[in-house]
Amino acid sequence: MKDFVIIGNKAVNGGKISLNDLPGSAGRMDVMCRCITSALFISFGMRRDVNIWLILKGEPGPEKIVRFNGETMRSLNPDERSSGSLIQKALLVNASEIEKQSTPGVFVRYGNLEKLLDEFEKEGRPLFYLKEDGTDILEMIQTPESAALLENGVYILGDNQGVFEADEKTIENTGASKISIGPISILSSQCITLILNALDRAADAAGTAGAAPNTPNAESYEE
Amino acid sequence: MKDFVIIGNKAVNGGKISLNDLPGSAGRMDVMCRCITSALFISFGMRRDVNIWLILKGEPGPEKIVRFNGETMRSLNPDERSSGSLIQKALLVNASEIEKQSTPGVFVRYGNLEKLLDEFEKEGRPLFYLKEDGTDILEMIQTPESAALLENGVYILGDNQGVFEADEKTIENTGASKISIGPISILSSQCITLILNALDRAADAAGTAGAAPNTPNAESYEE
């Protein structure tokens, strides 16, 4: 299982968001949507072993966490408007501290980064923080021990604004390992693509690939 | 200079496309939009040394080629609706065989894959065809000679439907080298991210990186 945690610094957490204005009034929700597509879609199928957690830190508060779960996901297409529409539905749910399913594979609750990372730590999951000065993931997959940790990793990324000081402190307090994906700073969604490609390569090299990501209803997720 | 050629098998080439229905009535134009974002955007900037050519093969015909040029691009944001809107404007131009600029950095003309690849061949550009059984690009960048060719490469990719037989024959007739980006078949836009990451790594290793992709107006392209 791989988990991606994306910090949406301005992403709204209530009200009805406009699908025609995801970058503007929805607080750069387009960034979140692209991350969802990168994390879940492959050609003619979906990565069933991936969760993506969106930390929505924008207006009006309090913060919410929306989770897209590859295993149970339905009615999602790779375009931004499709994932935006499922986020819209999640934000209209009467949220609580307990996760509720808004549509198949999409869950919402009140919560924040600290709480979420605390849960992952209690589960003993290895945490990785995407950072320019981190260890190159393509080097890390060369070592079977590192590759095994990465395969079961929780990956924490900022959005277009990066990660602010308070959140960075929260992440560093967990002892997350810093990893990097290349020499240039790129979009969050592109980082996810590169992480998953590294993991695909590691699984292929180890002969553990092929837990067929294509499922009977995958043909509806075509690209 | 890097060029990406994307074959849009159903992408419409005339009329006013609906920005609310890029995957449907516009013929999976969302695939084209994601490719544009992957090819041109980095964090807080744009890749000025990249062109992306969309071969629009859908209705109503004849085929058109829309080019997004990183060097002169303006008014483009990373969301699908933004690139979709520039494609929409390009399709409303009275096209001819000669390329016309529709908005800054976006160009349109009548043309097809064969014609475009013929032009690249005449310029002596190395052509690369993305294919599952191709040579791994991360291996290729280990050799300085291959890396130099890749740095100046023209990359040909299919869309969600892949590349049909007639187009594949056209590509093979050029003698394009087959390359691959990993063990799993993924989205066209994700392939572009992986190619550019390999080229970034090669440039970094060769010490030729840093032709500052950030330009004075780059801050408007934030993510």
Side-chain angles (χ1 to χ4, degrees), chain B residues 40-51:
Chain B
L40 295 182
F41 284 95
I42 57 169
S43 196
F44 298 103
M46 192 167 275
R47 294 185 186 269
R48 299 295 177 184
D49 60 345
V50 169
N51 268 305

Side-chain angles (χ1 to χ4, degrees), chain A residues 55-101:
Chain A
I55 314 285
L56 308 180
K57 300 189 65 172
E59 299 293 327
E63 292 182 25
K64 282 182 190 161
I65 302 176
V66 171
R67 174 165 71 105
F68 277 61
N69 172 247
E71 192 182 354
T72 54
M73 183 59 56
R74 278 173 176 245
S75 311
L76 178 66
N77 285 308
D79 60 299
E80 291 167 15
R81 205 177 164 88
S82 173
S83 45
S85 150
L86 298 187
I87 294 171
Q88 183 189 64
K89 283 174 185 152
L91 293 184
L92 294 174
V93 164
N94 189 11
S96 73
E97 305 277 328
I98 310 293
E99 205 176 50
K100 288 179 188 172
Q101 182 168 267

Side-chain angles (χ1 to χ4, degrees), chain B residues 63-82:
Chain B
E63 293 182 24
K64 283 181 190 162
I65 301 176
V66 171
R67 173 166 71 106
F68 277 61
N69 171 247
E71 191 181 355
T72 54
M73 183 58 55
R74 280 175 175 244
S75 311
L76 178 66
N77 286 308
D79 60 301
E80 291 167 15
R81 205 178 166 87
S82 173

Side-chain angles (χ1 to χ4, degrees), chain A residues 20 28 31 34 41 43-44 78-81 136 160 181 183 185 187 190 194 197 200-201 222-223, chain B residues 20 28 31 34 41 43-44 78-81 136 160 181 183 185 187 190 194 197 200-201 222-223:
Chain A
N20 295 346
R28 291 311 303 271
V31 179
R34 277 193 295 287
F41 283 96
S43 195
F44 298 103
D79 60 299
E80 291 167 15
R81 205 177 164 88
D136 186 352
N160 56 303
I181 44 70
S185 182
L187 306 192
Q190 295 169 338
L194 291 163
N197 177 256
D200 290 341
R201 287 173 177 275
E222 67 165 19
E223 178 175 357
Chain B
N20 295 346
R28 291 310 303 271
V31 179
R34 278 193 294 287
F41 284 95
S43 196
F44 298 103
D79 60 301
E80 291 167 15
R81 205 178 166 87
D136 186 352
N160 55 303
I181 43 70
S185 182
L187 307 191
Q190 295 169 339
L194 291 164
N197 178 257
D200 289 342
R201 287 173 177 274
E222 69 165 20
E223 176 176 358

Side-chain angles (χ1 to χ4, degrees), chain B residues 4-158:
Chain B
F4 292 91
V5 178
I6 322 292
I7 302 168
N9 289 294
K10 295 279 179 197
V12 299
N13 43 42
K16 188 165 186 209
I17 64 176
S18 163
L19 300 182
N20 295 346
D21 190 25
L22 292 170
S25 55
R28 291 310 303 271
M29 198 64 86
D30 62 311
V31 179
M32 304 289 113
C33 294
R34 278 193 294 287
C35 287
I36 291 166
T37 298
S38 295
L40 295 182
F41 284 95
I42 57 169
S43 196
F44 298 103
M46 192 167 275
R47 294 185 186 269
R48 299 295 177 184
D49 60 345
V50 169
N51 268 305
I52 174 162
W53 310 74
L54 314 175
I55 314 285
L56 308 180
K57 300 189 64 171
E59 298 295 325
E63 293 182 24
K64 283 181 190 162
I65 301 176
V66 171
R67 173 166 71 106
F68 277 61
N69 171 247
E71 191 181 355
T72 54
M73 183 58 55
R74 280 175 175 244
S75 311
L76 178 66
N77 286 308
D79 60 301
E80 291 167 15
R81 205 178 166 87
S82 173
S83 45
S85 149
L86 297 186
I87 294 171
Q88 184 190 63
K89 284 174 185 152
L91 293 185
L92 294 174
V93 164
N94 188 11
S96 73
E97 305 277 327
I98 310 293
E99 205 176 51
K100 288 180 187 172
Q101 182 168 267
S102 47
T103 51
V106 184
F107 302 83
V108 60
R109 61 162 157 155
Y110 288 123
N112 59 29
L113 181 69
E114 191 172 1
K115 207 168 167 178
L116 181 62
L117 296 189
D118 192 48
E119 291 166 11
F120 281 125
E121 279 197 283
K122 283 184 179 141
E123 291 170 18
R125 296 285 298 280
L127 305 188
F128 299 96
Y129 176 33
L130 259 281
K131 197 74 188 161
E132 282 82 352
D133 62 350
T135 311
D136 186 352
I137 192 167
L138 288 186
E139 279 175 32
M140 290 180 74
I141 59 169
Q142 304 302 327
T143 322
E145 295 73 32
S146 300
L149 288 175
L150 289 166
E151 174 61 29
N152 192 37
V154 176
Y155 297 89
I156 309 155
L157 292 86

